[in-house]
Amino acid sequence: MTNARSKSFDSQSGQPLVGALIRERRRKLNMTLKALGEAANLSVGFLSQVERDQATPSLGALSLISRSLDVEMEYFISSPAVIRGTTKAGERESFSVDSSSLKYERLGADFAGNQLSSFIITVPAGYQSETVSHEGEEIIYILEGEVTTDVEGESVALGEGDSLHFRSTRQHSWRNVTDKPARILWTGTVPIFWSGGSAKA
């Protein structure tokens, strides 16, 4: 059984890495990697890499994992709250999963009945996301740079000012194949920081 002494810790924050927390919660639920993969619609190979700190999940993938493990996202990470639904340019705090170079700025607020999540995401050069599918729909709008999206095998290079709207039930991923970072506005109908997980216990 995983205990606090066997966890890996983030060198910058000193907090346990999400892989250790996922493994600990999964084992507490007596859930296999295969069962978690089926519930979250993620590959066993990818989840195994995450648990061994060899891969860092995107915020979207971590949300799928948290739902499958019946905990809220705050079980794994914390992010700045959006007060009264308003954010100001230059004042938003960025955050990441572990020490990932993928940076998020939260735009959406939490309130009863909320159906949207929205973030400005800074995508480093060479980044490749995992492939996921889930309920809902998404819009990606390129603020700076270039991102290549893959939706069920169809690749589209998006430059500044371009956008893509698709159903999230289709297998999708995205990547930055350039040598410069990109910034995208991502909006989806799956609440990322949902309220509904049972507990950390």
Side-chain angles (χ1 to χ4, degrees):
M1 195 71 162
T2 302
N3 55 45
R5 294 183 179 179
S6 64
K7 290 178 183 176
S8 299
F9 290 83
D10 189 304
S11 60
Q12 294 183 16
S13 68
Q15 298 298 312
L17 294 171
V18 296
L21 295 172
I22 291 169
R23 181 174 58 248
E24 181 179 66
R25 178 64 180 173
R26 177 178 62 80
R27 289 178 173 175
K28 190 165 189 174
L29 296 176
N30 294 316
M31 179 183 284
T32 64
L33 267 177
K34 181 180 179 182
L36 177 57
E38 291 174 349
N41 207 12
L42 295 167
S43 73
V44 171
F46 172 70
L47 289 172
S48 177
Q49 288 183 315
V50 169
E51 287 197 356
R52 290 180 286 124
D53 302 322
Q54 295 179 354
T56 302
S58 67
L59 204 60
L62 189 58
S63 176
L64 296 174
I65 292 169
S66 72
R67 288 169 183 265
S68 301
L69 294 175
D70 198 25
V71 289
E72 297 180 11
M73 282 284 281
E74 285 76 6
Y75 183 84
F76 300 113
I77 62 171
S78 61
S79 75
V82 174
I83 307 300
R84 299 189 185 91
T86 300
T87 69
K88 294 286 188 178
E91 297 180 4
R92 286 185 294 268
E93 295 181 46
S94 63
F95 67 99
S96 62
V97 179
D98 292 340
S99 295
S100 170
S101 53
L102 195 69
K103 303 298 182 184
Y104 300 88
E105 296 175 43
R106 187 174 178 180
L107 302 179
D110 285 328
F111 50 81
N114 173 38
Q115 295 296 313
L116 288 177
S117 294
S118 189
F119 299 88
I120 292 174
I121 307 174
T122 300
V123 186
Y127 176 81
Q128 167 74 58
S129 79
E130 64 284 294
T131 299
V132 298
S133 66
H134 49 84
E135 293 300 319
E137 55 187 292
E138 303 176 33
I139 294 178
I140 296 174
Y141 177 83
I142 310 302
L143 299 170
E144 297 175 17
E146 182 178 305
V147 166
T148 299
T149 63
D150 295 282
V151 180
E152 293 195 339
E154 181 179 353
S155 296
V156 178
L158 301 174
E160 185 174 331
D162 294 342
S163 66
L164 178 67
H165 183 193
F166 59 94
R167 291 190 180 279
S168 306
T169 50
R170 304 171 70 191
Q171 291 280 333
H172 58 278
S173 64
W174 40 278
R175 50 202 160 95
N176 182 354
V177 298
T178 74
D179 59 359
K180 297 179 180 180
R183 294 179 77 239
I184 68 174
L185 171 62
W186 177 93
T187 300
T189 56
V190 176
I192 299 294
F193 290 90
W194 66 296
S195 295
S198 56
K200 299 181 183 181

mmCIF file of all heavy atoms in Angstrom, residues 127-167:
data_model
loop_
_atom_site.group_PDB
_atom_site.id
_atom_site.type_symbol
_atom_site.label_atom_id
_atom_site.label_comp_id
_atom_site.label_asym_id
_atom_site.label_seq_id
_atom_site.Cartn_x
_atom_site.Cartn_y
_atom_site.Cartn_z
ATOM 1 N N TYR A 127 5.246 20.334 -27.256
ATOM 2 C CA TYR A 127 4.279 19.657 -26.388
ATOM 3 C C TYR A 127 3.321 18.780 -27.196
ATOM 4 O O TYR A 127 2.870 19.155 -28.272
ATOM 5 C CB TYR A 127 3.464 20.688 -25.596
ATOM 6 C CG TYR A 127 2.384 20.045 -24.745
ATOM 7 C CD1 TYR A 127 2.692 19.485 -23.518
ATOM 8 C CD2 TYR A 127 1.065 19.978 -25.189
ATOM 9 C CE1 TYR A 127 1.716 18.882 -22.739
ATOM 10 C CE2 TYR A 127 0.077 19.374 -24.421
ATOM 11 C CZ TYR A 127 0.415 18.825 -23.196
ATOM 12 O OH TYR A 127 -0.554 18.219 -22.451
ATOM 13 N N GLN A 128 3.004 17.606 -26.644
ATOM 14 C CA GLN A 128 2.031 16.684 -27.242
ATOM 15 C C GLN A 128 1.073 16.242 -26.145
ATOM 16 O O GLN A 128 1.498 15.686 -25.125
ATOM 17 C CB GLN A 128 2.739 15.464 -27.830
ATOM 18 C CG GLN A 128 1.823 14.297 -28.187
ATOM 19 C CD GLN A 128 1.009 14.550 -29.447
ATOM 20 O OE1 GLN A 128 1.579 14.801 -30.511
ATOM 21 N NE2 GLN A 128 -0.303 14.476 -29.338
ATOM 22 N N SER A 129 -0.214 16.487 -26.324
ATOM 23 C CA SER A 129 -1.195 16.078 -25.319
ATOM 24 C C SER A 129 -1.515 14.595 -25.470
ATOM 25 O O SER A 129 -1.202 13.974 -26.490
ATOM 26 C CB SER A 129 -2.482 16.898 -25.454
ATOM 27 O OG SER A 129 -3.276 16.414 -26.518
ATOM 28 N N GLU A 130 -2.163 14.023 -24.458
ATOM 29 C CA GLU A 130 -2.681 12.676 -24.567
ATOM 30 C C GLU A 130 -3.937 12.702 -25.430
ATOM 31 O O GLU A 130 -4.511 13.760 -25.673
ATOM 32 C CB GLU A 130 -3.001 12.093 -23.187
ATOM 33 C CG GLU A 130 -4.096 12.810 -22.427
ATOM 34 C CD GLU A 130 -3.681 14.128 -21.807
ATOM 35 O OE1 GLU A 130 -2.847 14.121 -20.900
ATOM 36 O OE2 GLU A 130 -4.189 15.173 -22.249
ATOM 37 N N THR A 131 -4.349 11.541 -25.917
ATOM 38 C CA THR A 131 -5.577 11.427 -26.704
ATOM 39 C C THR A 131 -6.728 11.080 -25.777
ATOM 40 O O THR A 131 -6.639 10.139 -24.993
ATOM 41 C CB THR A 131 -5.441 10.343 -27.792
ATOM 42 O OG1 THR A 131 -4.374 10.710 -28.677
ATOM 43 C CG2 THR A 131 -6.725 10.218 -28.603
ATOM 44 N N VAL A 132 -7.811 11.865 -25.850
ATOM 45 C CA VAL A 132 -8.953 11.659 -24.960
ATOM 46 C C VAL A 132 -10.256 11.755 -25.735
ATOM 47 O O VAL A 132 -10.296 12.241 -26.871
ATOM 48 C CB VAL A 132 -8.973 12.707 -23.810
ATOM 49 C CG1 VAL A 132 -7.744 12.591 -22.939
ATOM 50 C CG2 VAL A 132 -9.102 14.115 -24.373
ATOM 51 N N SER A 133 -11.324 11.301 -25.113
ATOM 52 C CA SER A 133 -12.678 11.550 -25.592
ATOM 53 C C SER A 133 -13.585 11.527 -24.373
ATOM 54 O O SER A 133 -13.330 10.805 -23.412
ATOM 55 C CB SER A 133 -13.119 10.499 -26.625
ATOM 56 O OG SER A 133 -13.234 9.228 -26.036
ATOM 57 N N HIS A 134 -14.637 12.342 -24.409
ATOM 58 C CA HIS A 134 -15.538 12.455 -23.271
ATOM 59 C C HIS A 134 -16.788 13.189 -23.730
ATOM 60 O O HIS A 134 -16.874 13.641 -24.881
ATOM 61 C CB HIS A 134 -14.851 13.214 -22.123
ATOM 62 C CG HIS A 134 -14.197 14.487 -22.544
ATOM 63 N ND1 HIS A 134 -14.867 15.678 -22.668
ATOM 64 C CD2 HIS A 134 -12.910 14.743 -22.910
ATOM 65 C CE1 HIS A 134 -14.042 16.622 -23.075
ATOM 66 N NE2 HIS A 134 -12.841 16.083 -23.239
ATOM 67 N N GLU A 135 -17.749 13.322 -22.858
ATOM 68 C CA GLU A 135 -18.981 14.019 -23.214
ATOM 69 C C GLU A 135 -18.734 15.515 -23.392
ATOM 70 O O GLU A 135 -17.785 16.066 -22.840
ATOM 71 C CB GLU A 135 -20.037 13.807 -22.123
ATOM 72 C CG GLU A 135 -20.534 12.382 -22.006
ATOM 73 C CD GLU A 135 -21.182 11.877 -23.289
ATOM 74 O OE1 GLU A 135 -21.928 12.654 -23.925
ATOM 75 O OE2 GLU A 135 -20.935 10.727 -23.668
ATOM 76 N N GLY A 136 -19.587 16.163 -24.177
ATOM 77 C CA GLY A 136 -19.521 17.614 -24.298
ATOM 78 C C GLY A 136 -18.990 18.081 -25.634
ATOM 79 O O GLY A 136 -18.955 17.338 -26.624
ATOM 80 N N GLU A 137 -18.593 19.349 -25.687
ATOM 81 C CA GLU A 137 -18.021 19.940 -26.881
ATOM 82 C C GLU A 137 -16.973 20.964 -26.482
ATOM 83 O O GLU A 137 -16.953 21.429 -25.341
ATOM 84 C CB GLU A 137 -19.102 20.583 -27.749
ATOM 85 C CG GLU A 137 -19.967 21.602 -27.029
ATOM 86 C CD GLU A 137 -21.129 22.089 -27.898
ATOM 87 O OE1 GLU A 137 -20.861 22.788 -28.891
ATOM 88 O OE2 GLU A 137 -22.284 21.770 -27.560
ATOM 89 N N GLU A 138 -16.091 21.315 -27.422
ATOM 90 C CA GLU A 138 -14.984 22.214 -27.134
ATOM 91 C C GLU A 138 -14.772 23.198 -28.276
ATOM 92 O O GLU A 138 -15.063 22.893 -29.431
ATOM 93 C CB GLU A 138 -13.676 21.425 -26.918
ATOM 94 C CG GLU A 138 -13.751 20.392 -25.819
ATOM 95 C CD GLU A 138 -12.475 19.558 -25.709
ATOM 96 O OE1 GLU A 138 -11.373 20.101 -25.967
ATOM 97 O OE2 GLU A 138 -12.584 18.370 -25.374
ATOM 98 N N ILE A 139 -14.241 24.358 -27.934
ATOM 99 C CA ILE A 139 -13.781 25.335 -28.918
ATOM 100 C C ILE A 139 -12.351 25.720 -28.554
ATOM 101 O O ILE A 139 -12.055 26.025 -27.393
ATOM 102 C CB ILE A 139 -14.661 26.596 -28.949
ATOM 103 C CG1 ILE A 139 -16.073 26.265 -29.441
ATOM 104 C CG2 ILE A 139 -14.035 27.664 -29.845
ATOM 105 C CD1 ILE A 139 -17.013 27.457 -29.451
ATOM 106 N N ILE A 140 -11.477 25.671 -29.548
ATOM 107 C CA ILE A 140 -10.102 26.119 -29.388
ATOM 108 C C ILE A 140 -9.905 27.330 -30.293
ATOM 109 O O ILE A 140 -10.217 27.281 -31.490
ATOM 110 C CB ILE A 140 -9.100 25.011 -29.770
ATOM 111 C CG1 ILE A 140 -9.226 23.823 -28.819
ATOM 112 C CG2 ILE A 140 -7.671 25.553 -29.757
ATOM 113 C CD1 ILE A 140 -8.373 22.633 -29.228
ATOM 114 N N TYR A 141 -9.389 28.425 -29.732
ATOM 115 C CA TYR A 141 -9.099 29.628 -30.505
ATOM 116 C C TYR A 141 -7.631 29.989 -30.263
ATOM 117 O O TYR A 141 -7.191 30.065 -29.104
ATOM 118 C CB TYR A 141 -10.006 30.780 -30.074
ATOM 119 C CG TYR A 141 -9.720 32.083 -30.788
ATOM 120 C CD1 TYR A 141 -10.261 32.347 -32.046
ATOM 121 C CD2 TYR A 141 -8.905 33.049 -30.200
ATOM 122 C CE1 TYR A 141 -10.003 33.541 -32.700
ATOM 123 C CE2 TYR A 141 -8.639 34.250 -30.845
ATOM 124 C CZ TYR A 141 -9.191 34.487 -32.100
ATOM 125 O OH TYR A 141 -8.915 35.675 -32.742
ATOM 126 N N ILE A 142 -6.870 30.198 -31.332
ATOM 127 C CA ILE A 142 -5.436 30.445 -31.200
ATOM 128 C C ILE A 142 -5.174 31.939 -31.003
ATOM 129 O O ILE A 142 -5.475 32.757 -31.875
ATOM 130 C CB ILE A 142 -4.666 29.945 -32.439
ATOM 131 C CG1 ILE A 142 -5.065 28.507 -32.775
ATOM 132 C CG2 ILE A 142 -3.162 30.065 -32.177
ATOM 133 C CD1 ILE A 142 -4.849 27.501 -31.680
ATOM 134 N N LEU A 143 -4.617 32.283 -29.858
ATOM 135 C CA LEU A 143 -4.277 33.670 -29.545
ATOM 136 C C LEU A 143 -2.908 34.043 -30.098
ATOM 137 O O LEU A 143 -2.713 35.134 -30.642
ATOM 138 C CB LEU A 143 -4.290 33.886 -28.029
ATOM 139 C CG LEU A 143 -5.623 33.637 -27.322
ATOM 140 C CD1 LEU A 143 -5.417 33.658 -25.811
ATOM 141 C CD2 LEU A 143 -6.641 34.688 -27.725
ATOM 142 N N GLU A 144 -1.946 33.131 -29.956
ATOM 143 C CA GLU A 144 -0.587 33.359 -30.449
ATOM 144 C C GLU A 144 0.007 32.015 -30.875
ATOM 145 O O GLU A 144 -0.298 30.976 -30.288
ATOM 146 C CB GLU A 144 0.312 33.955 -29.357
ATOM 147 C CG GLU A 144 -0.089 35.310 -28.840
ATOM 148 C CD GLU A 144 0.792 35.765 -27.685
ATOM 149 O OE1 GLU A 144 1.888 35.183 -27.508
ATOM 150 O OE2 GLU A 144 0.372 36.669 -26.952
ATOM 151 N N GLY A 145 0.859 32.050 -31.881
ATOM 152 C CA GLY A 145 1.584 30.851 -32.289
ATOM 153 C C GLY A 145 0.750 29.910 -33.136
ATOM 154 O O GLY A 145 -0.200 30.320 -33.811
ATOM 155 N N GLU A 146 1.098 28.631 -33.072
ATOM 156 C CA GLU A 146 0.438 27.625 -33.898
ATOM 157 C C GLU A 146 0.297 26.316 -33.126
ATOM 158 O O GLU A 146 1.212 25.901 -32.409
ATOM 159 C CB GLU A 146 1.253 27.370 -35.169
ATOM 160 C CG GLU A 146 0.636 26.379 -36.137
ATOM 161 C CD GLU A 146 1.457 26.202 -37.408
ATOM 162 O OE1 GLU A 146 1.735 27.233 -38.065
ATOM 163 O OE2 GLU A 146 1.829 25.061 -37.731
ATOM 164 N N VAL A 147 -0.845 25.687 -33.257
ATOM 165 C CA VAL A 147 -1.129 24.402 -32.625
ATOM 166 C C VAL A 147 -1.754 23.484 -33.674
ATOM 167 O O VAL A 147 -2.579 23.915 -34.469
ATOM 168 C CB VAL A 147 -2.080 24.558 -31.415
ATOM 169 C CG1 VAL A 147 -2.633 23.203 -30.969
ATOM 170 C CG2 VAL A 147 -1.362 25.231 -30.258
ATOM 171 N N THR A 148 -1.334 22.230 -33.680
ATOM 172 C CA THR A 148 -1.922 21.242 -34.583
ATOM 173 C C THR A 148 -2.883 20.371 -33.795
ATOM 174 O O THR A 148 -2.514 19.797 -32.764
ATOM 175 C CB THR A 148 -0.843 20.354 -35.232
ATOM 176 O OG1 THR A 148 0.049 21.181 -35.994
ATOM 177 C CG2 THR A 148 -1.467 19.321 -36.153
ATOM 178 N N THR A 149 -4.121 20.298 -34.247
ATOM 179 C CA THR A 149 -5.127 19.475 -33.579
ATOM 180 C C THR A 149 -5.341 18.190 -34.363
ATOM 181 O O THR A 149 -5.233 18.170 -35.596
ATOM 182 C CB THR A 149 -6.469 20.214 -33.459
ATOM 183 O OG1 THR A 149 -6.973 20.485 -34.775
ATOM 184 C CG2 THR A 149 -6.300 21.516 -32.702
ATOM 185 N N ASP A 150 -5.626 17.125 -33.645
ATOM 186 C CA ASP A 150 -5.942 15.838 -34.260
ATOM 187 C C ASP A 150 -7.288 15.384 -33.719
ATOM 188 O O ASP A 150 -7.426 15.141 -32.519
ATOM 189 C CB ASP A 150 -4.868 14.799 -33.931
ATOM 190 C CG ASP A 150 -3.520 15.158 -34.526
ATOM 191 O OD1 ASP A 150 -3.340 14.945 -35.728
ATOM 192 O OD2 ASP A 150 -2.655 15.671 -33.781
ATOM 193 N N VAL A 151 -8.289 15.302 -34.587
ATOM 194 C CA VAL A 151 -9.625 14.853 -34.194
ATOM 195 C C VAL A 151 -9.977 13.636 -35.036
ATOM 196 O O VAL A 151 -10.184 13.743 -36.247
ATOM 197 C CB VAL A 151 -10.678 15.960 -34.387
ATOM 198 C CG1 VAL A 151 -12.054 15.453 -33.959
ATOM 199 C CG2 VAL A 151 -10.306 17.212 -33.596
ATOM 200 N N GLU A 152 -9.956 12.468 -34.377
ATOM 201 C CA GLU A 152 -10.228 11.191 -35.048
ATOM 202 C C GLU A 152 -9.418 11.035 -36.329
ATOM 203 O O GLU A 152 -9.945 10.699 -37.391
ATOM 204 C CB GLU A 152 -11.727 11.033 -35.302
ATOM 205 C CG GLU A 152 -12.517 10.875 -34.015
ATOM 206 C CD GLU A 152 -13.930 10.359 -34.219
ATOM 207 O OE1 GLU A 152 -14.463 10.483 -35.330
ATOM 208 O OE2 GLU A 152 -14.482 9.825 -33.241
ATOM 209 N N GLY A 153 -8.108 11.285 -36.202
ATOM 210 C CA GLY A 153 -7.192 11.035 -37.309
ATOM 211 C C GLY A 153 -7.040 12.173 -38.292
ATOM 212 O O GLY A 153 -6.169 12.126 -39.165
ATOM 213 N N GLU A 154 -7.856 13.218 -38.165
ATOM 214 C CA GLU A 154 -7.751 14.356 -39.075
ATOM 215 C C GLU A 154 -6.946 15.465 -38.404
ATOM 216 O O GLU A 154 -7.338 15.997 -37.373
ATOM 217 C CB GLU A 154 -9.134 14.878 -39.455
ATOM 218 C CG GLU A 154 -9.095 16.050 -40.423
ATOM 219 C CD GLU A 154 -10.481 16.540 -40.806
ATOM 220 O OE1 GLU A 154 -11.480 15.887 -40.423
ATOM 221 O OE2 GLU A 154 -10.559 17.577 -41.487
ATOM 222 N N SER A 155 -5.796 15.806 -39.005
ATOM 223 C CA SER A 155 -4.921 16.831 -38.442
ATOM 224 C C SER A 155 -5.166 18.172 -39.105
ATOM 225 O O SER A 155 -5.276 18.253 -40.336
ATOM 226 C CB SER A 155 -3.444 16.437 -38.628
ATOM 227 O OG SER A 155 -3.139 15.260 -37.916
ATOM 228 N N VAL A 156 -5.241 19.212 -38.280
ATOM 229 C CA VAL A 156 -5.439 20.571 -38.790
ATOM 230 C C VAL A 156 -4.470 21.493 -38.055
ATOM 231 O O VAL A 156 -4.442 21.523 -36.822
ATOM 232 C CB VAL A 156 -6.881 21.062 -38.570
ATOM 233 C CG1 VAL A 156 -7.033 22.493 -39.069
ATOM 234 C CG2 VAL A 156 -7.876 20.148 -39.258
ATOM 235 N N ALA A 157 -3.660 22.234 -38.818
ATOM 236 C CA ALA A 157 -2.755 23.223 -38.233
ATOM 237 C C ALA A 157 -3.519 24.534 -38.068
ATOM 238 O O ALA A 157 -4.080 25.066 -39.028
ATOM 239 C CB ALA A 157 -1.539 23.417 -39.115
ATOM 240 N N LEU A 158 -3.554 25.045 -36.843
ATOM 241 C CA LEU A 158 -4.269 26.286 -36.540
ATOM 242 C C LEU A 158 -3.269 27.377 -36.178
ATOM 243 O O LEU A 158 -2.413 27.178 -35.305
ATOM 244 C CB LEU A 158 -5.237 26.074 -35.377
ATOM 245 C CG LEU A 158 -6.323 25.002 -35.561
ATOM 246 C CD1 LEU A 158 -7.098 24.827 -34.257
ATOM 247 C CD2 LEU A 158 -7.268 25.372 -36.696
ATOM 248 N N GLY A 159 -3.372 28.535 -36.848
ATOM 249 C CA GLY A 159 -2.516 29.671 -36.556
ATOM 250 C C GLY A 159 -3.285 30.756 -35.841
ATOM 251 O O GLY A 159 -4.484 30.631 -35.562
ATOM 252 N N GLU A 160 -2.604 31.836 -35.550
ATOM 253 C CA GLU A 160 -3.213 32.946 -34.815
ATOM 254 C C GLU A 160 -4.504 33.410 -35.465
ATOM 255 O O GLU A 160 -4.564 33.661 -36.672
ATOM 256 C CB GLU A 160 -2.222 34.108 -34.765
ATOM 257 C CG GLU A 160 -2.674 35.289 -33.931
ATOM 258 C CD GLU A 160 -1.604 36.347 -33.784
ATOM 259 O OE1 GLU A 160 -0.415 35.994 -33.811
ATOM 260 O OE2 GLU A 160 -1.974 37.535 -33.647
ATOM 261 N N GLY A 161 -5.569 33.452 -34.682
ATOM 262 C CA GLY A 161 -6.877 33.866 -35.174
ATOM 263 C C GLY A 161 -7.745 32.727 -35.666
ATOM 264 O O GLY A 161 -8.939 32.922 -35.910
ATOM 265 N N ASP A 162 -7.175 31.518 -35.800
ATOM 266 C CA ASP A 162 -7.947 30.361 -36.245
ATOM 267 C C ASP A 162 -8.667 29.719 -35.059
ATOM 268 O O ASP A 162 -8.279 29.895 -33.898
ATOM 269 C CB ASP A 162 -7.036 29.314 -36.901
ATOM 270 C CG ASP A 162 -6.415 29.806 -38.196
ATOM 271 O OD1 ASP A 162 -6.939 30.781 -38.757
ATOM 272 O OD2 ASP A 162 -5.408 29.214 -38.632
ATOM 273 N N SER A 163 -9.702 28.929 -35.365
ATOM 274 C CA SER A 163 -10.443 28.255 -34.298
ATOM 275 C C SER A 163 -10.927 26.893 -34.772
ATOM 276 O O SER A 163 -10.958 26.608 -35.976
ATOM 277 C CB SER A 163 -11.637 29.098 -33.845
ATOM 278 O OG SER A 163 -12.601 29.208 -34.880
ATOM 279 N N LEU A 164 -11.311 26.073 -33.826
ATOM 280 C CA LEU A 164 -11.874 24.749 -34.115
ATOM 281 C C LEU A 164 -12.931 24.443 -33.067
ATOM 282 O O LEU A 164 -12.706 24.609 -31.869
ATOM 283 C CB LEU A 164 -10.781 23.676 -34.087
ATOM 284 C CG LEU A 164 -11.247 22.234 -34.321
ATOM 285 C CD1 LEU A 164 -11.759 22.071 -35.755
ATOM 286 C CD2 LEU A 164 -10.117 21.252 -34.048
ATOM 287 N N HIS A 165 -14.098 23.979 -33.519
ATOM 288 C CA HIS A 165 -15.211 23.611 -32.643
ATOM 289 C C HIS A 165 -15.566 22.160 -32.957
ATOM 290 O O HIS A 165 -15.788 21.811 -34.117
ATOM 291 C CB HIS A 165 -16.399 24.536 -32.921
ATOM 292 C CG HIS A 165 -17.576 24.294 -32.029
ATOM 293 N ND1 HIS A 165 -18.828 24.830 -32.281
ATOM 294 C CD2 HIS A 165 -17.722 23.574 -30.880
ATOM 295 C CE1 HIS A 165 -19.667 24.471 -31.336
ATOM 296 N NE2 HIS A 165 -19.026 23.692 -30.473
ATOM 297 N N PHE A 166 -15.600 21.296 -31.946
ATOM 298 C CA PHE A 166 -15.861 19.879 -32.198
ATOM 299 C C PHE A 166 -16.523 19.227 -30.989
ATOM 300 O O PHE A 166 -16.460 19.741 -29.865
ATOM 301 C CB PHE A 166 -14.557 19.144 -32.539
ATOM 302 C CG PHE A 166 -13.499 19.224 -31.469
ATOM 303 C CD1 PHE A 166 -13.381 18.231 -30.509
ATOM 304 C CD2 PHE A 166 -12.620 20.299 -31.417
ATOM 305 C CE1 PHE A 166 -12.406 18.302 -29.518
ATOM 306 C CE2 PHE A 166 -11.644 20.382 -30.435
ATOM 307 C CZ PHE A 166 -11.539 19.378 -29.492
ATOM 308 N N ARG A 167 -17.153 18.080 -31.250
ATOM 309 C CA ARG A 167 -17.747 17.281 -30.177
ATOM 310 C C ARG A 167 -16.637 16.528 -29.447
ATOM 311 O O ARG A 167 -15.814 15.866 -30.078
ATOM 312 C CB ARG A 167 -18.775 16.302 -30.731
ATOM 313 C CG ARG A 167 -20.028 16.977 -31.265
ATOM 314 C CD ARG A 167 -21.108 15.948 -31.585
ATOM 315 N NE ARG A 167 -22.315 16.578 -32.104
ATOM 316 C CZ ARG A 167 -23.237 17.151 -31.349
ATOM 317 N NH1 ARG A 167 -23.090 17.159 -30.031
ATOM 318 N NH2 ARG A 167 -24.305 17.713 -31.887
#
